[in-house]
Amino acid sequence: MATAEQPKIEHSHLAIRGLNLHVAQAGTGELGTVLFLHGFPEIWYSWRHQMLAVAAAGYRAVAPDWRGYGLSDQPPEPEPASYQDLQEDLLAILDALSVPKAFLVAKDFGAKPAYDFALHHPDRTCGVMCLGVPFVHGGTSFATLPEGFYILRWQEPGRAEADFGQYDIKRVVRTIYILFSRSEIPIANEDQEIMDLADLSTPLPEWFTDEDLGVYASLYEKSGFRYPMEMPYRSLHKRQPIEDPKFQVPVFVAMGEKDYVLKFPGIEAVLKDGVMAKFAPDLKVTYIPEGSHFVQEQFPDMVNELLLGFLKDHPVA
C-alpha cells in the first residue's frame, strides 16, 4: 500500500518592501496557513518540528527570517528599526503568497508583531498562539532590574558588539542559547559582560545538538548581530501601544514553567490575575512543566500537540 509522502521544507526568497526575505515553507495548506515568527537568537529553523507537524496535518507552514536575520536582506543603514516594519512585512508576505488569512505562531520578540498584527488586521488573522510572551498592554518596565540585566546591557550602543566581537559567531550563539535555556534571568555583575556568564565547559541543553548549533551559527554568519541588537532590544521604546486593544480572534499563550521570562516584572500577574483576559476575550493559557524559553525545541511533541489542537479548535471558515 502506498504511503503518503512526508512533507519537506523548501526555501525561497520573496521581494518584500524593497528587501528579499527568506521564507521556509512546507505543506499544501488544504486546511489553512500557519505563519511562524521567530525570536532571538533564533531563525526559521527554530520552528522545524512544528512546520513538519502542521504540514503533515494538512496546513501550509510558512516561516520567514525577519528582515536583518539569517538569509533575509539587511535593511539599509542607518534606517531605524521599527516594529511597524515587521507588521508591514507580515502583511506583504501574506499578499505575496496569496494567503487571505493565517494563524500566527510566535515566540520571544516575534510575539509582539504577532499580537499587533492580529489587533490591526483581524480580517487577515485566524488566531494567535504565542510561546513564552503574553500580551502586555503598554509594554514591560525593567526599572526594577539591575544594570547587568541582559536587555539593559544590549540596549547600550556598541556594548553587545564589543562583547560578542571577542568570540566567533558559533560561540556567541552557543552562550546565548545556554543562558536563555535557564530558569534565571541572565544578569551580569558589574565586572562582567553577558558572554562571561557561560564558557565552553558549560554543556549545551540536552535537546540542542551540535548540528543544531551549526545551523544557527551558519545563518548568523550571514546576518551578523547588528540588526538583531536593533530589533528587538534597541527598539523596545519605539513600539507604539494600541489604544484600547481588543482581540477579535482566539489567542493561546503557552508558557514553559521554567522560562526565565516568567520572572520579568509583571509577567506572571498578566497571566494569572486575568489582566490579559481583559484584552483577549477568547484566551487560553497553558503551562508546560519543565518547559524553558525554547520549549518548542525542548518538547516538540508536546508543543505540536498543543498547536494542532488550537488549529483544529478554530477551523478556517
Coordinates of all heavy atoms in Angstrom, one line a residue, residues 184-276:
E184 N 16.7 31.2 35.3 CA 17.0 32.5 35.9 C 17.3 33.6 34.8 O 17.8 33.2 33.8 CB 18.3 32.4 36.8 CG 18.1 31.4 38.0 CD 17.0 31.9 38.9 OE1 16.8 33.1 39.2 OE2 16.2 31.0 39.4
I185 N 16.9 34.8 35.1 CA 17.1 35.9 34.1 C 18.6 36.1 34.0 O 19.3 36.2 35.0 CB 16.5 37.2 34.6 CG1 14.9 37.0 34.7 CG2 16.8 38.3 33.7 CD1 14.2 38.2 35.4
P186 N 19.2 36.2 32.8 CA 20.6 36.5 32.6 C 21.0 37.9 33.1 O 20.5 38.9 32.5 CB 20.8 36.3 31.1 CG 19.7 35.5 30.6 CD 18.5 35.9 31.5
I187 N 21.8 37.9 34.2 CA 22.2 39.2 34.7 C 23.7 39.1 35.1 O 24.1 38.2 35.7 CB 21.4 39.5 36.0 CG1 19.9 39.7 35.7 CG2 22.0 40.8 36.7 CD1 19.0 39.9 36.9
A188 N 24.5 40.0 34.5 CA 25.9 40.1 34.8 C 26.2 41.0 36.0 O 25.5 41.9 36.3 CB 26.6 40.6 33.5
N189 N 27.3 40.6 36.6 CA 27.9 41.5 37.7 C 28.5 42.8 37.0 O 28.7 42.8 35.8 CB 28.9 40.8 38.5 CG 28.3 39.7 39.3 OD1 27.1 39.7 39.8 ND2 29.0 38.6 39.5
E190 N 28.8 43.7 37.8 CA 29.4 45.0 37.3 C 30.7 44.7 36.5 O 31.0 45.4 35.6 CB 29.7 46.0 38.4 CG 28.4 46.7 38.9 CD 28.7 47.8 39.9 OE1 29.8 48.3 39.9 OE2 27.8 48.1 40.7
D191 N 31.5 43.7 37.0 CA 32.8 43.5 36.4 C 32.7 42.4 35.3 O 33.7 41.9 34.8 CB 33.8 43.1 37.4 CG 33.4 41.8 38.2 OD1 32.2 41.4 38.1 OD2 34.2 41.2 38.9
Q192 N 31.4 42.0 34.9 CA 31.3 41.0 33.8 C 30.5 41.6 32.6 O 29.8 42.6 32.7 CB 30.4 39.9 34.4 CG 31.0 39.0 35.4 CD 30.0 37.9 35.8 OE1 28.9 38.2 36.2 NE2 30.5 36.6 35.8
E193 N 30.7 40.9 31.5 CA 29.8 41.1 30.3 C 28.9 39.9 30.3 O 29.1 38.8 30.9 CB 30.6 41.3 29.1 CG 31.5 42.5 29.1 CD 30.7 43.8 29.2 OE1 29.5 43.9 28.7 OE2 31.2 44.8 29.7
I194 N 27.9 39.9 29.4 CA 26.9 38.8 29.3 C 27.6 37.6 28.8 O 27.3 36.5 29.3 CB 25.7 39.2 28.4 CG1 25.0 40.4 29.0 CG2 24.8 38.0 28.2 CD1 24.4 40.2 30.3
M195 N 28.5 37.7 27.9 CA 29.2 36.5 27.4 C 30.1 35.8 28.5 O 30.5 34.6 28.3 CB 30.1 36.9 26.2 CG 29.3 37.1 24.9 SD 28.5 35.7 24.2 CE 30.0 34.7 23.8
D196 N 30.4 36.5 29.6 CA 31.1 35.9 30.7 C 30.3 34.9 31.5 O 30.8 34.2 32.4 CB 31.7 36.9 31.6 CG 32.7 37.9 30.9 OD1 33.4 37.4 30.0 OD2 32.8 39.0 31.3
L197 N 29.0 34.9 31.3 CA 28.1 34.1 32.1 C 28.1 32.6 31.8 O 27.5 31.8 32.5 CB 26.7 34.6 32.1 CG 26.5 36.1 32.6 CD1 25.1 36.5 32.4 CD2 26.9 36.2 34.0
A198 N 28.7 32.2 30.7 CA 28.9 30.8 30.4 C 30.2 30.6 29.6 O 30.5 31.5 28.8 CB 27.7 30.2 29.6
D199 N 30.8 29.5 29.7 CA 32.1 29.3 28.9 C 31.9 27.9 28.2 O 30.9 27.2 28.2 CB 33.3 29.4 29.7 CG 33.3 28.4 30.9 OD1 32.7 27.3 30.7 OD2 34.0 28.6 31.9
L200 N 33.0 27.5 27.5 CA 33.0 26.3 26.7 C 32.8 25.0 27.5 O 32.4 24.0 27.0 CB 34.2 26.2 25.8 CG 34.2 27.2 24.6 CD1 35.6 27.1 23.9 CD2 33.1 27.0 23.7
S201 N 33.1 25.1 28.8 CA 32.9 24.0 29.7 C 31.4 23.8 30.1 O 31.0 22.7 30.6 CB 33.7 24.1 31.0 OG 33.2 25.1 31.8
T202 N 30.6 24.8 29.8 CA 29.2 24.7 30.1 C 28.5 23.9 29.1 O 28.6 24.3 27.9 CB 28.5 26.1 30.2 OG1 29.3 27.0 31.0 CG2 27.1 26.1 30.8
P203 N 27.8 22.8 29.4 CA 27.2 22.0 28.3 C 26.0 22.7 27.7 O 25.3 23.5 28.3 CB 26.8 20.7 29.1 CG 26.6 21.2 30.5 CD 27.6 22.3 30.7
L204 N 25.8 22.3 26.4 CA 24.5 22.7 25.8 C 23.3 22.0 26.4 O 23.5 20.9 27.0 CB 24.6 22.3 24.3 CG 25.5 23.2 23.3 CD1 25.6 22.4 22.0 CD2 24.9 24.5 23.1
P205 N 22.1 22.6 26.3 CA 21.0 21.8 26.7 C 20.9 20.5 26.0 O 21.3 20.4 24.9 CB 19.8 22.7 26.3 CG 20.4 24.1 26.1 CD 21.8 23.9 25.7
E206 N 20.4 19.4 26.7 CA 20.5 18.1 26.1 C 19.7 17.9 24.8 O 19.9 17.1 24.0 CB 20.0 17.0 27.1 CG 18.6 17.2 27.6 CD 18.2 16.3 28.7 OE1 19.1 15.7 29.4 OE2 17.0 16.1 28.9
W207 N 18.7 18.8 24.6 CA 17.8 18.7 23.5 C 18.3 19.6 22.3 O 17.7 19.6 21.2 CB 16.4 19.2 23.8 CG 16.4 20.4 24.7 CD1 16.2 20.4 26.1 CD2 16.5 21.8 24.3 NE1 16.3 21.7 26.5 CE2 16.4 22.6 25.5 CE3 16.6 22.4 23.0 CZ2 16.5 24.0 25.4 CZ3 16.8 23.8 23.0 CH2 16.7 24.6 24.2
F208 N 19.5 20.2 22.5 CA 20.1 21.1 21.5 C 21.4 20.5 21.0 O 22.3 20.5 21.8 CB 20.2 22.5 22.0 CG 20.6 23.6 21.0 CD1 19.6 24.0 20.1 CD2 21.8 24.1 21.0 CE1 19.9 25.0 19.2 CE2 22.1 25.1 20.1 CZ 21.2 25.6 19.2
T209 N 21.5 20.0 19.8 CA 22.7 19.3 19.4 C 23.7 20.2 18.8 O 23.5 21.4 18.4 CB 22.3 18.2 18.3 OG1 21.9 18.9 17.1 CG2 21.2 17.3 18.8
D210 N 24.9 19.7 18.6 CA 26.0 20.4 17.9 C 25.6 20.7 16.5 O 25.9 21.8 15.9 CB 27.3 19.6 17.9 CG 28.0 19.7 19.3 OD1 27.9 20.8 19.9 OD2 28.6 18.7 19.7
E211 N 24.8 19.8 15.9 CA 24.3 20.1 14.5 C 23.4 21.2 14.5 O 23.4 22.1 13.6 CB 23.6 18.8 14.0 CG 23.1 19.0 12.5 CD 22.3 17.7 12.1 OE1 22.2 16.8 12.8 OE2 21.9 17.8 10.9
D212 N 22.5 21.3 15.5 CA 21.6 22.5 15.6 C 22.4 23.8 15.7 O 22.1 24.8 15.0 CB 20.6 22.3 16.8 CG 19.7 21.2 16.7 OD1 19.3 20.8 15.5 OD2 19.3 20.6 17.7
L213 N 23.3 23.7 16.6 CA 24.2 24.9 16.8 C 24.9 25.3 15.5 O 24.9 26.5 15.2 CB 25.2 24.6 17.9 CG 26.2 25.7 18.2 CD1 25.5 27.0 18.6 CD2 27.2 25.3 19.2
G214 N 25.3 24.3 14.8 CA 26.0 24.6 13.5 C 25.0 25.3 12.5 O 25.5 26.3 11.8
V215 N 23.8 24.9 12.5 CA 22.8 25.6 11.6 C 22.6 27.0 12.0 O 22.6 27.9 11.2 CB 21.5 24.8 11.6 CG1 20.4 25.6 10.8 CG2 21.6 23.4 11.0
Y216 N 22.4 27.3 13.3 CA 22.2 28.6 13.8 C 23.4 29.5 13.5 O 23.3 30.6 13.0 CB 21.9 28.6 15.3 CG 20.5 28.3 15.6 CD1 20.1 27.0 16.0 CD2 19.5 29.2 15.6 CE1 18.8 26.7 16.3 CE2 18.2 28.9 16.0 CZ 17.8 27.6 16.3 OH 16.5 27.3 16.6
A217 N 24.6 28.9 13.8 CA 25.8 29.7 13.6 C 26.0 30.1 12.1 O 26.3 31.2 11.8 CB 27.0 28.9 14.1
S218 N 25.7 29.2 11.2 CA 25.9 29.4 9.8 C 24.9 30.6 9.3 O 25.3 31.4 8.5 CB 25.6 28.2 8.9 OG 24.3 27.8 8.9
L219 N 23.7 30.6 9.9 CA 22.7 31.6 9.5 C 23.1 33.0 10.1 O 22.9 34.0 9.4 CB 21.3 31.2 9.9 CG 20.8 29.9 9.1 CD1 19.5 29.4 9.7 CD2 20.6 30.3 7.6
Y220 N 23.6 33.0 11.3 CA 24.1 34.3 11.9 C 25.4 34.7 11.3 O 25.7 35.9 11.4 CB 24.1 34.2 13.4 CG 22.7 34.4 14.0 CD1 21.9 33.4 14.3 CD2 22.3 35.7 14.2 CE1 20.6 33.6 14.8 CE2 21.0 36.0 14.8 CZ 20.2 34.9 15.0 OH 18.9 35.2 15.6
E221 N 26.2 33.8 10.7 CA 27.4 34.2 10.0 C 26.9 35.1 8.8 O 27.6 36.1 8.5 CB 28.1 33.0 9.4 CG 28.8 32.1 10.4 CD 30.2 32.6 10.8 OE1 30.6 33.7 10.3 OE2 30.8 32.0 11.6
K222 N 25.8 34.8 8.2 CA 25.3 35.6 7.1 C 24.8 37.0 7.6 O 25.1 38.0 7.0 CB 24.2 34.8 6.4 CG 23.2 35.6 5.5 CD 23.8 35.8 4.1 CE 22.8 36.4 3.2 NZ 22.1 37.6 3.6
S223 N 24.0 37.0 8.7 CA 23.4 38.2 9.1 C 24.2 39.1 10.1 O 24.0 40.3 10.1 CB 22.0 37.9 9.6 OG 22.1 37.2 10.9
G224 N 25.0 38.4 10.9 CA 25.7 39.1 12.0 C 24.6 39.5 13.0 O 23.5 39.1 13.0
F225 N 25.1 40.4 13.9 CA 24.2 40.7 15.1 C 23.8 42.2 15.1 O 23.2 42.7 16.0 CB 24.9 40.4 16.4 CG 25.2 38.9 16.6 CD1 26.4 38.4 16.5 CD2 24.1 38.1 16.9 CE1 26.7 37.0 16.7 CE2 24.3 36.7 17.1 CZ 25.6 36.2 17.0
R226 N 24.2 43.0 14.0 CA 23.9 44.4 14.0 C 22.4 44.6 14.1 O 21.9 45.3 15.0 CB 24.4 45.1 12.7 CG 24.1 46.6 12.7 CD 24.5 47.2 11.3 NE 23.5 46.8 10.3 CZ 22.3 47.4 10.1 NH1 21.9 48.3 10.9 NH2 21.6 47.0 9.1
Y227 N 21.6 44.1 13.2 CA 20.2 44.3 13.2 C 19.5 43.6 14.4 O 18.6 44.2 15.0 CB 19.6 43.9 11.9 CG 18.1 44.4 11.8 CD1 17.8 45.7 11.4 CD2 17.1 43.5 12.0 CE1 16.5 46.1 11.4 CE2 15.8 43.9 12.0 CZ 15.5 45.2 11.6 OH 14.2 45.6 11.6
P228 N 19.9 42.4 14.7 CA 19.3 41.7 15.9 C 19.4 42.5 17.2 O 18.6 42.4 18.1 CB 19.9 40.4 16.0 CG 20.3 40.1 14.5 CD 20.7 41.4 13.9
M229 N 20.4 43.3 17.3 CA 20.5 44.2 18.5 C 19.6 45.4 18.4 O 19.0 45.8 19.4 CB 22.0 44.7 18.7 CG 22.9 43.6 19.2 SD 22.5 42.8 20.8 CE 21.7 41.3 20.3
E230 N 19.4 45.9 17.2 CA 18.5 47.0 17.0 C 17.0 46.5 17.2 O 16.2 47.2 17.8 CB 18.6 47.6 15.6 CG 20.0 48.3 15.4 CD 20.1 49.5 16.2 OE1 19.1 50.2 16.5 OE2 21.3 49.8 16.7
M231 N 16.8 45.3 16.6 CA 15.4 44.7 16.7 C 15.6 43.3 17.3 O 16.1 42.4 16.6 CB 14.8 44.7 15.3 CG 13.4 43.9 15.3 SD 12.2 44.6 16.4 CE 11.9 46.2 15.6
P232 N 15.2 43.1 18.5 CA 14.2 44.0 19.3 C 14.8 45.0 20.3 O 14.1 45.9 20.6 CB 13.5 42.9 20.1 CG 14.5 41.9 20.4 CD 15.4 41.8 19.1
Y233 N 16.0 44.8 20.8 CA 16.4 45.4 22.0 C 16.5 46.9 22.0 O 16.0 47.5 23.0 CB 17.8 44.8 22.5 CG 17.7 43.3 22.6 CD1 18.3 42.4 21.7 CD2 17.0 42.7 23.7 CE1 18.1 41.1 21.8 CE2 16.9 41.3 23.8 CZ 17.4 40.5 22.8 OH 17.3 39.2 22.9
R234 N 17.0 47.5 21.0 CA 17.1 49.0 21.0 C 15.9 49.6 20.4 O 15.9 50.9 20.2 CB 18.4 49.3 20.2 CG 19.6 48.8 21.0 CD 20.9 49.0 20.2 NE 22.0 48.2 20.9 CZ 23.1 47.9 20.4 NH1 23.4 48.2 19.1 NH2 24.0 47.2 21.1
S235 N 14.9 48.9 20.1 CA 13.6 49.4 19.5 C 12.4 49.3 20.4 O 11.3 49.7 20.1 CB 13.3 48.7 18.2 OG 14.4 48.9 17.3
L236 N 12.6 48.7 21.6 CA 11.5 48.4 22.5 C 10.8 49.7 22.9 O 9.5 49.7 22.9 CB 12.0 47.7 23.8 CG 12.4 46.2 23.7 CD1 13.1 45.8 24.9 CD2 11.2 45.4 23.4
H237 N 11.5 50.8 23.1 CA 10.9 52.0 23.5 C 10.1 52.7 22.4 O 9.3 53.6 22.6 CB 11.9 53.0 24.0 CG 12.9 53.5 22.9 ND1 13.9 52.6 22.4 CD2 13.0 54.6 22.3 CE1 14.6 53.3 21.5 NE2 14.0 54.5 21.4
K238 N 10.3 52.2 21.1 CA 9.6 52.8 20.0 C 8.3 52.2 19.7 O 7.5 52.7 18.9 CB 10.5 52.7 18.7 CG 11.8 53.4 18.8 CD 12.6 53.1 17.5 CE 14.1 53.4 17.6 NZ 14.8 53.0 16.4
R239 N 8.0 51.0 20.3 CA 6.8 50.3 20.0 C 5.6 51.1 20.5 O 5.5 51.5 21.6 CB 6.8 48.9 20.6 CG 5.6 48.1 20.2 CD 5.8 46.7 20.7 NE 4.5 45.9 20.6 CZ 3.9 45.3 21.5 NH1 4.4 45.3 22.8 NH2 2.8 44.6 21.3
Q240 N 4.7 51.4 19.5 CA 3.5 52.3 19.9 C 2.4 51.4 20.5 O 1.9 50.5 19.8 CB 3.0 53.0 18.6 CG 4.0 54.0 18.0 CD 4.4 55.1 19.0 OE1 3.5 55.7 19.6 NE2 5.7 55.4 19.1
P241 N 2.0 51.7 21.7 CA 0.9 50.9 22.3 C -0.4 51.2 21.5 O -0.6 52.4 21.0 CB 0.8 51.4 23.7 CG 1.5 52.7 23.7 CD 2.5 52.7 22.7
I242 N -1.2 50.2 21.4 CA -2.5 50.4 20.7 C -3.6 50.8 21.7 O -3.7 50.2 22.8 CB -2.9 49.0 20.0 CG1 -1.9 48.6 19.0 CG2 -4.3 49.1 19.4 CD1 -2.0 47.2 18.4
E243 N -4.3 51.9 21.4 CA -5.3 52.4 22.3 C -6.5 51.4 22.4 O -7.0 51.0 21.4 CB -5.8 53.8 21.8 CG -6.6 54.5 22.8 CD -7.0 55.9 22.3 OE1 -6.3 56.4 21.5 OE2 -8.0 56.5 22.8
D244 N -6.8 51.1 23.6 CA -8.0 50.2 23.9 C -7.9 48.9 23.1 O -8.9 48.7 22.3 CB -9.3 51.0 23.7 CG -10.5 50.2 24.2 OD1 -10.3 49.4 25.1 OD2 -11.6 50.4 23.6
P245 N -6.9 48.1 23.2 CA -6.8 46.9 22.3 C -7.8 45.9 22.7 O -8.1 45.7 23.9 CB -5.3 46.4 22.6 CG -5.1 46.9 24.0 CD -5.8 48.3 24.1
K246 N -8.4 45.2 21.7 CA -9.3 44.1 22.0 C -9.2 43.1 20.9 O -9.4 43.4 19.7 CB -10.7 44.7 22.0 CG -11.8 43.6 22.4 CD -11.7 43.3 23.9 CE -12.3 44.4 24.8 NZ -12.3 44.1 26.2
F247 N -8.7 41.9 21.2 CA -8.5 40.9 20.2 C -9.9 40.4 19.7 O -10.7 40.0 20.6 CB -7.7 39.7 20.8 CG -6.2 40.1 20.9 CD1 -5.7 40.5 22.2 CD2 -5.3 39.9 19.9 CE1 -4.4 40.8 22.3 CE2 -4.0 40.2 20.1 CZ -3.5 40.7 21.3
Q248 N -10.0 40.3 18.4 CA -11.2 39.7 17.8 C -11.0 38.3 17.4 O -11.9 37.7 16.7 CB -11.7 40.6 16.7 CG -12.0 42.0 17.0 CD -12.3 42.9 15.8 OE1 -13.0 42.5 14.9 NE2 -11.7 44.1 15.8
V249 N -9.8 37.7 17.7 CA -9.5 36.4 17.2 C -9.1 35.6 18.5 O -8.7 36.1 19.5 CB -8.4 36.4 16.2 CG1 -8.8 37.1 14.9 CG2 -7.1 36.9 16.8
P250 N -9.1 34.2 18.4 CA -8.7 33.4 19.5 C -7.2 33.6 19.8 O -6.4 33.8 18.8 CB -8.9 32.0 19.0 CG -9.9 32.1 17.9 CD -9.6 33.4 17.3
V251 N -6.8 33.6 21.1 CA -5.4 33.8 21.5 C -5.1 32.7 22.4 O -5.8 32.4 23.4 CB -5.2 35.2 22.2 CG1 -3.8 35.3 22.6 CG2 -5.6 36.3 21.2
F252 N -3.9 32.1 22.2 CA -3.4 31.0 23.0 C -2.0 31.3 23.4 O -1.1 31.5 22.6 CB -3.5 29.7 22.2 CG -3.1 28.4 22.9 CD1 -3.0 28.3 24.3 CD2 -2.7 27.3 22.2 CE1 -2.7 27.1 24.9 CE2 -2.3 26.1 22.8 CZ -2.3 26.0 24.2
V253 N -1.7 31.3 24.7 CA -0.4 31.5 25.3 C 0.1 30.2 25.9 O -0.6 29.7 26.8 CB -0.4 32.7 26.3 CG1 1.1 32.8 26.8 CG2 -0.8 34.0 25.6
A254 N 1.2 29.7 25.5 CA 1.8 28.5 26.1 C 3.1 28.9 26.8 O 4.0 29.5 26.1 CB 2.1 27.4 25.1
M255 N 3.2 28.8 28.1 CA 4.4 29.2 28.8 C 5.1 28.0 29.4 O 4.5 27.1 30.0 CB 4.0 30.1 30.0 CG 3.5 31.4 29.7 SD 4.6 32.6 29.0 CE 6.0 32.6 30.2
G256 N 6.4 27.9 29.2 CA 7.2 26.9 29.9 C 7.3 27.4 31.4 O 7.6 28.5 31.7
E257 N 7.1 26.5 32.3 CA 7.1 26.8 33.7 C 8.6 27.2 34.2 O 8.7 27.9 35.2 CB 6.6 25.7 34.6 CG 5.1 25.5 34.5 CD 4.5 24.5 35.4 OE1 5.3 23.7 36.0 OE2 3.3 24.5 35.6
K258 N 9.6 26.8 33.4 CA 11.0 27.2 33.7 C 11.5 28.3 32.8 O 12.7 28.5 32.7 CB 11.9 26.0 33.7 CG 11.5 24.8 34.6 CD 11.8 25.3 36.1 CE 11.4 24.2 37.1 NZ 12.3 23.0 37.0
D259 N 10.6 29.0 32.1 CA 11.0 30.1 31.2 C 11.4 31.3 32.1 O 10.5 31.7 32.9 CB 9.9 30.4 30.2 CG 10.3 31.4 29.1 OD1 11.2 32.2 29.4 OD2 9.6 31.4 28.1
Y260 N 12.6 31.8 31.9 CA 13.0 32.9 32.7 C 12.1 34.2 32.5 O 12.1 35.0 33.4 CB 14.5 33.3 32.4 CG 14.7 33.9 31.1 CD1 14.7 35.2 30.9 CD2 15.1 33.1 30.0 CE1 14.9 35.8 29.7 CE2 15.3 33.7 28.7 CZ 15.2 35.0 28.6 OH 15.4 35.6 27.3
V261 N 11.4 34.3 31.4 CA 10.6 35.4 31.1 C 9.5 35.5 32.2 O 9.0 36.6 32.5 CB 10.0 35.3 29.7 CG1 9.0 36.4 29.5 CG2 11.1 35.5 28.7
L262 N 9.1 34.4 32.8 CA 8.1 34.5 33.8 C 8.5 35.3 35.0 O 7.7 35.8 35.8 CB 7.7 33.1 34.3 CG 6.6 32.3 33.6 CD1 6.5 30.9 34.1 CD2 5.3 33.0 33.7
K263 N 9.8 35.6 35.1 CA 10.4 36.3 36.3 C 10.5 37.8 35.9 O 11.0 38.6 36.8 CB 11.7 35.7 36.7 CG 11.5 34.3 37.3 CD 12.8 33.7 37.8 CE 12.5 32.3 38.4 NZ 13.7 31.6 38.7
F264 N 10.2 38.2 34.7 CA 10.2 39.6 34.3 C 9.1 40.3 35.1 O 8.0 39.7 35.4 CB 9.9 39.8 32.8 CG 11.0 39.6 31.9 CD1 12.2 39.0 32.3 CD2 11.0 40.0 30.6 CE1 13.3 38.8 31.5 CE2 12.0 39.8 29.7 CZ 13.2 39.2 30.1
P265 N 9.3 41.6 35.5 CA 8.3 42.3 36.3 C 6.9 42.3 35.7 O 6.7 42.6 34.5 CB 8.8 43.7 36.4 CG 10.3 43.5 36.2 CD 10.5 42.4 35.2
G266 N 5.9 41.8 36.4 CA 4.5 41.9 36.0 C 4.0 40.8 35.0 O 2.8 40.6 34.8
I267 N 4.9 39.9 34.5 CA 4.5 38.9 33.5 C 3.6 37.9 34.1 O 2.5 37.6 33.5 CB 5.8 38.2 32.9 CG1 6.5 39.2 32.0 CG2 5.3 37.0 32.0 CD1 5.8 39.8 30.8
E268 N 3.9 37.3 35.3 CA 3.1 36.3 35.8 C 1.7 36.9 36.2 O 0.7 36.2 36.0 CB 3.8 35.7 37.1 CG 3.2 34.4 37.5 CD 4.2 33.5 38.2 OE1 5.2 34.0 38.7 OE2 3.9 32.3 38.3
A269 N 1.7 38.1 36.7 CA 0.4 38.7 37.0 C -0.5 38.9 35.8 O -1.7 38.7 35.9 CB 0.6 40.1 37.7
V270 N 0.1 39.2 34.7 CA -0.7 39.4 33.4 C -1.4 38.1 33.1 O -2.6 38.2 32.7 CB 0.2 39.8 32.3 CG1 -0.4 39.6 30.9 CG2 0.7 41.3 32.4
L271 N -0.8 37.0 33.4 CA -1.4 35.7 33.0 C -2.3 35.2 34.1 O -3.4 34.7 33.8 CB -0.3 34.7 32.7 CG 0.5 34.9 31.5 CD1 1.8 34.0 31.5 CD2 -0.3 34.6 30.2
K272 N -1.9 35.3 35.3 CA -2.6 34.6 36.4 C -3.7 35.5 37.1 O -4.6 35.0 37.8 CB -1.6 34.1 37.5 CG -0.8 33.0 36.9 CD 0.0 32.3 37.9 CE 0.7 31.0 37.3 NZ 1.6 30.4 38.2
D273 N -3.6 36.8 36.9 CA -4.6 37.7 37.6 C -5.7 38.2 36.6 O -6.4 39.2 36.9 CB -3.9 38.9 38.2 CG -2.9 38.6 39.3 OD1 -3.0 37.4 39.7 OD2 -2.1 39.4 39.8
G274 N -5.7 37.6 35.4 CA -6.8 37.9 34.5 C -6.6 39.2 33.7 O -7.5 39.7 33.1
V275 N -5.4 39.8 33.8 CA -5.1 41.1 33.1 C -5.2 40.9 31.6 O -5.9 41.7 30.9 CB -3.7 41.6 33.5 CG1 -3.4 42.9 32.7 CG2 -3.7 41.9 35.0
M276 N -4.6 39.9 31.0 CA -4.6 39.7 29.6 C -6.0 39.3 29.1 O -6.3 39.7 28.0 CB -3.6 38.6 29.2 CG -3.4 38.4 27.7 SD -2.1 37.3 27.2 CE -2.4 37.1 25.5

